[in-house]
């Protein structure tokens, strides 16, 4: 009977102790290990934004604006300069014949811009097409007036194809496929011109020249830079995107 009473008292005290201390936090040295979630990869839709941001920043840091500002337009339009003979020389002759005695001696590129990049994915999911919209102003000067004769706004898109390839070591890479100016994307508009002169005829002739030479000129300068930027992208970003392309998984949202 005594033993039974002792047991009743003992379990009563034990239950009271558990009730008193059950709500207290467990000491740190006795705590269960915390569950830490690993860093999650970018969501498929986040990959597209990360890619365009990386490409845009890479183009700017790689000197894109300086490349545009130093386009050798004067060398091409100068009839005495090598490659500008023949057809280009004839076109420039039309420009100078609009106003007797007028010789264009300087075409200066100003206000180069990289606008917002566009990104689309091919229907099969294995290719990306990046649209690189560029903007520049052209200031045409002449010794006849000693000042700016024309100011033109020029817009042009370069389209770069991006592919994923697997090398002999089974590593996947992003590579540049076709890179060219988008057909029909060149737009030239007059910002201002010297009123008394027959500006429209001069503008039409000069626009004809630029339509023939400017797209390929810009393409030849910009596409090598795109390839350089592509090869220097973050390894993790490249791996994630290349893996999606290899498997044909869509991750670019169609707007």
């Amino acid at each position: 009977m005594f033993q039974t009473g002792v047991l009743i008292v003992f379990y009563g005290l034990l239950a009271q102790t558990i009730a008193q201390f059950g709500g207290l936090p467990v000491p740190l040295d006795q705590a269960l290990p915390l569950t830490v979630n690993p860093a999650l990869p970018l969501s498929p839709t986040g990959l597209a934004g990360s890619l365009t941001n990386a490409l845009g920043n890479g183009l700017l840091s790689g000197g894109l604006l300086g490349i545009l500002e130093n386009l050798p337009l004067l060398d091409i339009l100068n009839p005495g300069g090598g490659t500008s003979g023949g057809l280009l020389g004839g076109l420039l002759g039309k420009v100078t014949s609009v106003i007797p005695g007028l010789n264009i001696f300087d075409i200066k590129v100003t206000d180069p811009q990289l606008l917002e990049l566009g990104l689309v994915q091919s229907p099969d999911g294995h290719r990306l097409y990046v649209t690189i919209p560029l903007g520049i102003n052209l200031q045409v000067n002449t010794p006849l007036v000693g000042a700016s004769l024309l100011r033109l706004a020029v817009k042009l898109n370069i389209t770069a194809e991006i592919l994923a390839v697997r090398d002999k070591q089974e590593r996947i890479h992003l590579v540049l496929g076709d890179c060219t100016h988008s057909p029909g994307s060149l737009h030239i508009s007059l910002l201002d011109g010297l009123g008394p002169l027959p500006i429209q005829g001069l503008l039409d002739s000069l626009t004809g020249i630029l339509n023939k030479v400017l797209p390929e000129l810009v393409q030849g300068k910009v596409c090598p830079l795109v390839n350089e930027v592509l090869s220097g992208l973050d390894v993790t970003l490249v791996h994630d995107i290349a893996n999606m392309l290899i498997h044909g998984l869509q991750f670019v949202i169609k707007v």
Side-chain angles (χ1 to χ4, degrees):
M1 183 68 182
F2 174 76
Q3 292 180 346
T4 302
V6 170
L7 288 174
I8 293 173
V9 172
F10 173 76
Y11 284 115
L13 291 173
L14 179 60
Q16 184 178 1
T17 301
I18 292 174
Q20 289 177 350
F21 292 96
L24 295 179
V26 181
L28 289 178
D29 56 349
Q30 299 179 18
L32 295 175
L34 296 176
T35 301
V36 179
N37 293 326
L40 295 176
L42 287 172
S43 66
T45 54
L47 286 176
S50 297
L51 177 60
T52 53
N53 287 339
L55 288 174
N57 292 334
L59 289 171
L60 291 175
S61 62
L64 173 66
L65 301 186
I67 290 174
L68 295 177
E69 199 164 18
N70 291 287
L71 290 173
L73 284 174
L74 186 60
D75 294 340
I76 292 177
L77 296 178
N78 182 0
T83 58
S84 59
L87 177 60
L88 294 180
L91 287 172
L92 186 59
K94 294 180 181 178
V95 175
T96 57
S97 67
V98 173
I99 306 170
L102 174 63
N103 292 298
I104 296 175
F105 76 98
D106 184 35
I107 297 183
K108 183 178 181 181
V109 178
T110 63
D111 302 321
Q113 295 180 339
L114 172 64
L115 306 176
E116 184 176 357
L117 271 62
L119 183 67
V120 296
Q121 192 170 2
S122 63
D124 63 8
H126 294 299
R127 293 174 176 80
L128 295 175
Y129 298 95
V130 182
T131 300
I132 306 170
L134 306 171
I136 57 175
N137 289 345
L138 297 181
Q139 183 170 305
V140 183
N141 301 316
T142 174
L144 183 65
V145 295
S148 174
L149 178 65
L150 291 175
R151 281 204 316 125
L152 306 176
V154 179
K155 305 291 184 184
L156 176 66
N157 293 343
I158 298 295
T159 299
E161 179 188 37
I162 298 178
L163 308 169
V165 298
R166 195 185 299 271
D167 61 20
K168 295 181 180 179
Q169 287 74 38
E170 292 299 312
R171 295 173 300 188
I172 52 178
H173 307 273
L174 294 180
V175 298
L176 182 65
D178 291 336
C179 183
T180 183
H181 58 89
S182 305
S185 70
L186 178 63
H187 297 283
I188 303 174
S189 57
L190 178 66
L191 292 177
D192 55 55
L194 200 59
L197 298 177
I199 293 299
Q200 190 58 51
L202 180 59
L203 176 62
D204 292 343
S205 297
L206 185 56
T207 298
I209 298 175
L210 295 175
N211 274 314
K212 289 182 177 293
V213 301
L214 191 58
E216 290 190 6
L217 175 62
V218 173
Q219 172 185 321
K221 298 291 184 180
V222 173
C223 288
L225 178 59
V226 176
N227 189 46
E228 181 181 330
V229 171
L230 194 62
S231 64
L233 290 179
D234 176 76
V235 175
T236 301
L237 178 63
V238 169
H239 177 272
D240 290 344
I241 292 176
N243 188 59
M244 300 287 283
L245 294 178
I246 286 287
H247 295 91
L249 301 176
Q250 293 285 343
F251 64 94
V252 178
I253 298 177
K254 297 180 180 180
V255 179

